[in-house]
Amino acid sequence: MTNNQHTPQHLSAIIDAFSIEGTIATIKPYGSGHINDTFYLKNEDQTHPDYLLQRINHAIFKDVPALMDNVKKVTEHLRKKLAAIPDSNPKKQVLTIIPLKNGLLYFKDVDGNYWRMYLYLTDTNSYDLVEKEIQAFEGGKAFGRFQALLSDMDATLLAETIPDFHNIEMRLSRFYKAWSTDIAKRRDEVNEETDFINKRVDVMKSILNLGKEGHLSLRITHNDTKFNNVLLDANDKAQCVIDLDTVMPGYVAYDFGDAIRTIINSASEDEKDLNKIKLNIPLFEAYTKGYLSEADKFLSAVEVDSLMMGVLLIPYMQAVRFLTDYIEGDVYYKTNFEGHNLQRTRAQIQLLKEIEAEHDTLVGIIDRVYNELK
Ligand code: ADP
Ligand code: GN1
Ligand code: MG
């Protein structure tokens, strides 16, 4: 389903179930997410707030009540922790769930779709492509602070909204299963990409192995730290971390790697012209500085060493996921044209090649920034 398949009449009936102030004047499809359908709701009278309505993709998030329960617990914890920090503004810095008139946190429509609503955070921007070092630095601070504020929350309170989400062994086994089944008859088009993936299977298990050996702590992580999941204010200051559907136990390197995947890339996630995919190393350094300025309070030395493993792993895992979806006939991510998932795969592979070529430079930056903070 896409954002355009919901009629205004259908959306109005859904909006009516929520406990909102004022009257909605306009409803507009919003954002560039690959999973949920998002709508911006503008209030007629601007003394009342605007809202954001989302259809949660329940083919992917199978247990929506548990997901919303996670979001509630996480936002409550963040709000409480922020309230104790001078100069903070929890109302602007944490997502606010708008419940239904009956108090529930989600609405199930006649077609079985699940909907939720947030307060729209005004005067904010999200970026698919990072433009300035200050934005990267602020994004790093926001995600570092997010992990720091959640570092004392009991992880057992949270449900796993997508089991094994960042488990590369599981992602690879799904890929090989899709490859053997070859349901969409596309396998023969992707030999080069498959070879690239095969050659790196062992090295990409390093975070998982460190975790299994007990060297890395499972913490509460965001798990979707794409740069457009942090809102910056009009002065490029970090305001709020959003898209909390995948907040669950994970390793910090996953969040670092996913943010870097989108920040260091001078081109889009799905760039067709591979020559345009270059690394923006000053943005990498700026994000690392922002992130470590908050996260050095709780990170172990092994976790700091693992950050670069995440920078390699996440574009790789993303390539595996996009390619799996391509072979399976585009059943997971929203696509805009035939071959979109293959184009995304190739762009992530190119990005990883560029990162591999600058591996030692990037490790040097992480070490230098970390040592400067000590
Ligand atoms: P998806 O899971 O589809 O990525 P998101 O929750 O990230 O959905 O929302 C999509 C986009 O909507 C974001 O990238 C951001 O631009 C915007 N957005 C999300 N939540 C808010 C909010 N509370 N206030 C303002 N903008 C928001
Ligand atoms: C999806 O919903 P969105 O667009 O923020 C995906 C992420 C991927 C990302 C790739 C639940 O995120 O894991 O990294 O696309 N979310 C889910 O752009 O699979
Ligand atoms: Mg998002």
Side-chain angles (χ1 to χ4, degrees):
M1 190 170 298
T2 69
N3 288 18
N4 303 327
Q5 285 170 278
H6 309 288
T7 64
Q9 291 84 340
H10 180 212
L11 292 172
S12 295
I14 292 158
I15 293 165
D16 202 40
F18 286 86
S19 176
I20 58 170
E21 291 174 30
T23 309
I24 300 306
T26 47
I27 305 174
K28 212 172 72 183
Y30 204 69
S32 53
H34 297 344
I35 307 293
N36 297 323
D37 300 339
T38 302
F39 298 89
Y40 167 57
L41 313 181
K42 192 169 172 56
N43 223 311
E44 200 171 77
D45 173 352
Q46 284 295 287
T47 59
H48 295 304
D50 296 339
Y51 299 97
L52 206 91
L53 176 71
Q54 290 183 312
R55 184 187 76 93
I56 304 168
N57 186 331
H58 67 280
I60 290 174
F61 295 105
K62 309 254 188 241
D63 188 347
V64 175
L67 180 155
M68 287 310 294
D69 190 53
N70 273 13
V71 176
K72 180 168 187 278
K73 286 176 179 151
V74 167
T75 51
E76 276 173 359
H77 186 91
L78 291 171
R79 200 164 283 121
K80 214 177 327 150
K81 294 288 295 280
L82 276 173
I85 300 177
D87 296 332
S88 66
N89 184 344
K91 210 171 172 198
K92 289 186 144 195
Q93 292 171 323
V94 185
L95 283 175
T96 302
I97 305 172
I98 306 295
L100 302 187
K101 288 172 180 157
N102 66 15
L104 271 181
L105 301 183
Y106 58 87
F107 178 74
K108 195 171 176 188
D109 72 15
V110 286
D111 303 317
N113 289 311
Y114 290 85
W115 298 83
R116 58 126 180 267
M117 200 183 278
Y118 289 122
L119 203 61
Y120 180 81
L121 294 162
T122 48
D123 304 317
T124 59
N125 291 304
S126 72
Y127 296 88
D128 290 340
L129 271 182
V130 185
E131 290 153 14
K132 299 186 234 158
E133 282 175 44
I134 178 74
Q135 296 169 338
F137 177 81
E138 285 291 320
K141 264 181 77 167
F143 284 123
R145 181 183 255 212
F146 182 85
Q147 289 179 345
L149 293 175
L150 292 174
S151 62
D152 64 345
M153 184 177 170
D154 178 1
T156 62
L157 293 174
L158 296 183
E160 232 186 328
T161 53
I162 302 181
D164 290 322
F165 191 58
H166 277 147
N167 181 334
I168 190 60
E169 278 176 353
M170 188 281 288
R171 293 287 178 195
L172 284 165
S173 80
R174 283 211 199 143
F175 167 65
Y176 290 123
K177 192 161 164 241
W179 197 88
S180 335
T181 315
D182 196 20
I183 190 152
K185 300 274 168 275
R186 288 175 166 178
R187 181 173 84 182
D188 292 343
E189 295 168 39
V190 300
N191 288 332
E192 217 176 290
E193 291 75 18
T194 304
D195 275 354
F196 183 92
I197 288 169
N198 288 343
K199 284 201 182 101
R200 287 156 179 80
V201 164
D202 287 336
V203 65
M204 292 299 170
K205 291 186 182 163
S206 50
I207 295 179
L208 215 51
N209 290 338
L210 279 175
K212 282 184 192 160
E213 289 157 11
H215 300 304
L216 285 179
S217 307
L218 259 185
R219 300 186 182 277
I220 296 179
T221 47
H222 184 283
N223 299 307
D224 191 2
T225 51
K226 202 153 80 161
F227 199 74
N228 66 15
N229 284 330
V230 59
L231 299 179
L232 305 183
D233 71 14
N235 300 315
D236 281 334
K237 290 276 174 212
Q239 185 164 319
C240 184
V241 169
I242 58 166
D243 207 345
L244 305 179
D245 300 340
T246 50
V247 177
M248 54 187 162
Y251 298 118
V252 290
Y254 296 155
D255 279 1
F256 187 78
D258 208 8
I260 293 302
R261 179 179 75 81
T262 50
I263 289 163
I264 203 171
N265 189 350
S266 59
S268 312
E269 180 183 69
D270 60 352
E271 177 57 57
K272 188 176 166 52
D273 179 355
L274 300 183
N275 292 317
K276 285 194 184 148
I277 299 175
K278 298 279 176 245
L279 300 191
N280 188 327
I281 294 183
L283 292 184
F284 173 86
E285 177 158 349
Y287 183 87
T288 304
K289 278 187 177 153
Y291 174 70
L292 286 177
S293 71
E294 293 285 338
D296 77 322
K297 300 178 188 80
F298 67 88
L299 290 183
S300 71
V302 184
E303 283 179 310
V304 175
D305 284 344
S306 75
L307 295 178
M308 189 59 207
M309 297 175 198
V311 174
L312 295 166
L313 174 66
I314 300 293
Y316 176 81
M317 191 172 335
Q318 208 62 75
V320 171
R321 292 174 63 191
F322 286 143
L323 192 57
T324 306
D325 200 27
Y326 182 66
I327 297 176
E328 288 183 337
D330 307 317
V331 292
Y332 186 92
Y333 295 103
K334 288 182 189 173
T335 50
N336 300 332
F337 52 87
E338 171 93 21
H340 199 170
N341 273 315
L342 182 56
Q343 187 168 307
R344 287 169 170 155
T345 307
R346 290 181 173 147
Q348 293 300 299
I349 286 180
Q350 182 61 29
L351 176 64
L352 180 53
K353 285 183 186 164
E354 297 285 326
I355 292 174
E356 285 173 343
E358 292 294 342
H359 178 274
D360 294 353
T361 310
L362 302 180
V363 171
I365 292 172
I366 297 173
D367 287 349
R368 178 165 48 75
V369 170
Y370 185 59
N371 287 324
E372 278 167 8
L373 283 165
K374 279 199 287 189

